[in-house]
Amino acid sequence: MAEATIPSGPVDDRALDESVTFTSDLIRIDTTNSGDGSCRERPAAEYVAERLAGAGLEPLLLERTPGRTNVVARIRGTDPSADALLVHGHLDVVPADPAEWSVHPFSGEIRDGVVWGRGAVDMKNMDAMVLAVVRAWARAGVRPRRDIVVAYTADEEASAADGSGFLADRHPELFEGCTEGISESGAFTFHAGTGMSLYPIAAGERGTAWLKLTAEGRAGHGSKVNKANAVSALAAAVARIGAYEWPVRLTPTVRAALVEIAALHHIKADLDAPGFDVDELLGKLGPAADLVAPTVRNSANPTMLDAGYKVNVIPGRATAHIDGRMVPGGEEEFHETLDRLTGPGVHWEFDHREIPLQAPVDSPTYARMCAAVELFDPGSHAVPYCMSGGTDAKQFSRLGITGYGFSPLKLPVGFDYQALFHGVDERVPVDALHFGVRVLDHFLRTA
Ligand SMILES: [Zn+2]
């Protein structure tokens, strides 16, 4: 595709520069969320709100807890009959230990064309790019087709209780008319070997099921016969869960991903053929198999054990924790399987639970996202994928909003997006931000 066919739209040099400055500035505002309630997103929220106001919008600052600030603003579209689109990004970040980093994680340093710091890909980059696009529209007098609601949230990296959970519970009116949303964890370049560039667009999330197992038995002396030993019962249940091979359950998103990625490898995949073996197919897909493998089945991994206090005392109770994940549609099977694997005498309950999500990959919006990245990176291929973890999209799904992971970044070979996510030396190339601004502008105006 010739360079000249790439539309420039209202994106000017200032928008490109602002995406970089805003990313760097937001990184410098330390919004570490350790999950202990000490995080304060307010300075970052004020930074964003000031710049939205500069674009002629009327941002609202909303808090459930003082200092845990969310920002919401609406941009009026030109087609009042169209459904609104939510664009959301969180303002908090996970902790970073400066001792482990090459540069200070909260310096926002720009070195050799790369912006460094915690939040560079998760997700102050997206926060900044959206801000830059909205401001470019204001300068050029551009309005999108659909109403666009922009939301900058607190507390995504913990429970979302002060962020998207609070917004969905207490301020649903701000999202009126929104049917779809875009946010983090999608549309980054995935280098799949042999020069193949993929852009995985998230159309689903596995659900989270953190479990607590408890075995109750009869306490007693360690030298006595004891058929009601809580430690033995718990250990047997944990061993069964750890060894269990979950059956393959292919959701529509994962099916589409398998077929499309296989086709790019010149393999015709018939997922419904008798004897079809997903693991065998994954083995032929090279690095791209990593995009699909974690989401073809449920999983449940034992992670913590706790029982007893003295070698010659049989305790009356033993507990364990399991990190379980459920594919969309796999919740019932998850419950039944856990009931069966734990067996009598061992009780299980949810410590923390988040529903799985599924978004259609045959919607016009999904098609437009694919077209937008492929337009600005000719020769690349957008493919659907299901996220193995969760995002704010789960909270907004309660308002009937279908969530996609779409925060475009064009990354060079050697930039492993998924390793940088929550990783040491998180960073983003300036060119990647420029690409993201162009794609977002094009997609959001025409979505
Ligand atoms: Zn994130």
Side-chain angles (χ1 to χ4, degrees):
M1 201 179 281
E3 192 77 6
T5 63
I6 292 183
S8 56
V11 167
D12 50 13
D13 285 348
R14 182 164 161 202
L16 302 180
D17 291 346
E18 284 191 348
S19 69
V20 178
T21 315
F22 295 166
T23 301
S24 171
D25 286 353
L26 285 168
I27 288 169
R28 279 205 300 279
I29 303 172
D30 183 345
T31 51
T32 298
N33 189 348
S34 311
D36 60 3
S38 63
C39 182
R40 291 290 172 268
E41 289 89 349
R42 186 157 188 110
E46 285 173 348
Y47 180 97
V48 166
E50 226 169 83
R51 279 149 191 83
L52 289 172
L57 301 176
E58 291 168 9
L60 295 173
L61 276 74
L62 304 141
E63 293 177 341
R64 184 186 81 139
T65 306
R68 309 300 309 270
T69 317
N70 302 271
V71 184
V72 181
R74 182 178 287 252
I75 302 160
R76 292 283 168 201
T78 54
D79 179 357
S81 70
D83 294 329
L85 177 69
L86 170 64
V87 181
H88 58 102
H90 59 83
L91 293 168
D92 58 329
V93 295
V94 292
D97 178 1
E100 295 177 334
W101 284 55
S102 310
V103 299
H104 195 284
F106 299 104
S107 66
E109 190 177 325
I110 304 167
R111 188 195 283 179
D112 302 327
V114 175
V115 187
W116 292 68
R118 179 57 87 220
V121 299
D122 179 18
M123 62 177 297
K124 288 176 169 173
N125 60 316
M126 175 70 166
D127 296 339
M129 293 188 302
V130 171
L131 211 44
V133 167
V134 167
R135 290 164 59 85
W137 288 352
R139 284 193 297 280
V142 165
R143 280 169 67 195
R145 187 180 72 87
R146 301 164 77 167
D147 269 21
I148 291 181
V149 176
V150 290
Y152 292 87
T153 60
D155 204 22
E156 194 273 345
E157 298 290 3
S159 68
D162 281 315
S164 55
F166 158 70
L167 293 176
D169 285 342
R170 304 295 304 275
H171 295 283
E173 73 286 354
L174 298 176
F175 305 94
E176 204 185 308
C178 290
T179 53
E180 296 170 308
I182 63 163
S183 190
E184 63 182 310
S185 299
F188 53 91
T189 321
F190 183 93
H191 297 283
T194 61
M196 188 189 292
S197 295
L198 303 180
Y199 283 87
I201 294 174
E205 301 180 1
R206 286 208 298 178
T208 302
W210 290 342
L211 313 179
K212 183 182 181 189
L213 267 56
T214 308
E216 304 277 1
R218 195 173 67 249
H221 198 284
S223 70
K224 296 281 165 51
V225 173
N226 189 334
K227 296 284 189 203
N229 185 322
V231 176
S232 307
L234 182 84
V238 166
R240 285 192 294 271
I241 292 167
Y244 184 66
E245 292 193 26
W246 290 86
V248 172
R249 297 288 180 245
L250 301 179
T251 63
T253 299
V254 170
R255 290 177 69 91
L258 283 168
V259 169
E260 289 181 33
I261 294 170
L264 292 170
H265 286 80
H266 310 291
I267 298 167
K268 194 174 174 336
D270 181 359
L271 311 186
D272 300 311
F276 168 73
D277 181 343
V278 75
D279 294 307
E280 191 187 313
L281 175 61
L282 287 170
K284 295 175 184 163
L285 300 184
D290 289 350
L291 289 174
V292 190
T295 56
V296 298
R297 42 170 75 86
N298 288 338
S299 62
N301 287 311
T303 48
M304 294 162 74
L305 288 170
D306 187 26
Y309 54 92
K310 195 167 185 304
V311 68
N312 60 350
V313 179
I314 297 171
R317 147 197 287 252
T319 59
H321 291 264
I322 308 281
D323 181 346
R325 307 285 168 153
M326 305 170 291
V327 299
E331 290 163 289
E332 204 176 299
E333 180 182 39
F334 187 87
H335 282 235
E336 288 169 4
T337 306
L338 262 295
D339 282 345
R340 187 157 47 77
L341 293 176
T342 46
V346 180
H347 164 80
W348 71 273
E349 66 198 302
F350 287 107
D351 254 354
H352 177 72
R353 181 184 183 189
E354 285 171 24
I355 53 162
L357 293 183
Q358 173 77 41
V361 293
D362 55 2
S363 68
T365 301
Y366 176 79
R368 287 191 183 105
M369 287 189 282
C370 295
V373 286
E374 290 174 357
L375 176 64
F376 289 92
D377 188 357
S380 68
H381 306 276
V383 293
Y385 92 119
C386 178
M387 286 186 237
S388 62
T391 70
D392 274 343
K394 290 193 197 300
Q395 305 297 330
F396 290 120
S397 76
R398 293 193 274 122
L399 302 177
I401 299 171
T402 299
Y404 291 99
F406 188 76
S407 33
L409 288 178
K410 184 182 176 186
L411 300 171
V413 174
F415 256 84
D416 182 347
Y417 176 85
Q418 281 157 322
L420 293 171
F421 219 84
H422 294 195
V424 168
D425 285 345
E426 186 178 344
R427 61 199 186 279
V428 66
V430 165
D431 288 347
L433 296 170
H434 292 176
F435 170 85
V437 168
R438 291 190 168 101
V439 173
L440 281 172
D441 159 61
H442 181 73
F443 166 70
L444 291 174
R445 255 186 309 122
T446 57

